[in-house]
Amino acid sequence: MWHQQVIQLAPRKRGFHLVTDEVRGAVAELATVKVGLLHLFMMHTSASLSINENADPTVRGDMERFFRETVPENAPYYQHTLEGADDMPAHILAVLLGPSLTIPLAKGEMLLGTWQGIYLGEHRDHAGSRRLTVTLQGEAR
Amino acid sequence: MWHQQVIQLAPRKRGFHLVTDEVRGAVAELATVKVGLLHLFMMHTSASLSINENADPTVRGDMERFFRETVPENAPYYQHTLEGADDMPAHILAVLLGPSLTIPLAKGEMLLGTWQGIYLGEHRDHAGSRRLTVTLQGEAR
Amino acid sequence: MWHQQVIQLAPRKRGFHLVTDEVRGAVAELATVKVGLLHLFMMHTSASLSINENADPTVRGDMERFFRETVPENAPYYQHTLEGADDMPAHILAVLLGPSLTIPLAKGEMLLGTWQGIYLGEHRDHAGSRRLTVTLQGEAR
């Protein structure tokens, strides 16, 4: 079986956000898969998807603080500056963290580890809703 | 349906290069897929694949400038130096940016966002042609 | 065909480790695939999977030395510190390097380049065995 749909994540402020439940809730067909893979693909070049710790919100804060320090705004060598000081760092973070995830599925559920969740990395200061293309494949239950 | 082939990208100088059209043009079977996934896998450990902004070439230049600054040549602690000052930074960039992409397909086309393109990251000074294994799967149209 | 299993990698010390043979040896069904994809998914948020140079062990050492320098312990802005100085850097490395790999398969073998191998990135000081969910799909031979 194959299933494909576009989902829109609610707009978020710059930083890292746990979106596991929002993704799961948007893809009803998850429940119909016996064994398979879920592919999530971010349709934007200034936001990212990653898998990280799902419990302590300070992890999300520390991620943002680390990347603000490591991927600076206003680096003297940036030439792509017309869209704002947050734009070039957002493109860099989008490739460092990545635009997509592939997650194993079994018995209608994502097979995540106990402490794993899906992070949206929102790397712009004033972004709107982010679109993901969801592609699900597998054997039906 | 499954389709697999090896494609060779034209040699490029060190830096980031937009290769969306080159990839699309090399995989004729793309046109036959109703819904599916395209998997691209770099067969080398000193080049990368990523998804980034497809319009302004200064983004590609800024990416290269950022990574030259962040992943230095000749770090005092490098021991893998026999193959040149560009070699160890190339291995580091290959894992930071990643060796592969999975891209959703629908109606014979890659489902990329408006501003998204495929970047080849060429991280060596004098590399030749890079080989990608392309694996395509899906439902036929 | 679909096949899914959980494998446990032997515990390793902090650093990068070549695990290609350990993964291949644990997935007997690899041999039955004519064309397909192997998906490996790390069930933890403080270890990673990547593809890198399989020959010279100094590459693994240089990777660890680079990331110890680039992703510091005890950054003054870290708030997630209860689980030890190695914990927050481990979460950062897990997302920079990534939790999963998708590797093309043909004629019962992983289609890796001559110099490519699978690295386990163990980012904690005292971790146990790491669990991977392996999902294999393709056409049978």
Side-chain angles (χ1 to χ4, degrees), chain B residues 4 12 20 25 31 38 42 51 75 97 117 124 128-129 135 138-139:
Chain B
Q4 196 172 63
R12 259 89 174 188
T20 320
L38 176 67
M42 173 68 67
I51 297 281
L97 293 152
R124 296 301 308 263
S129 172
T135 307
E139 289 181 345

Side-chain angles (χ1 to χ4, degrees), chain C residues 44-57:
Chain C
H44 309 268
T45 60
S46 54
S48 65
L49 293 171
S50 53
I51 297 282
N52 211 331
E53 213 263 19
N54 61 17
D56 184 351

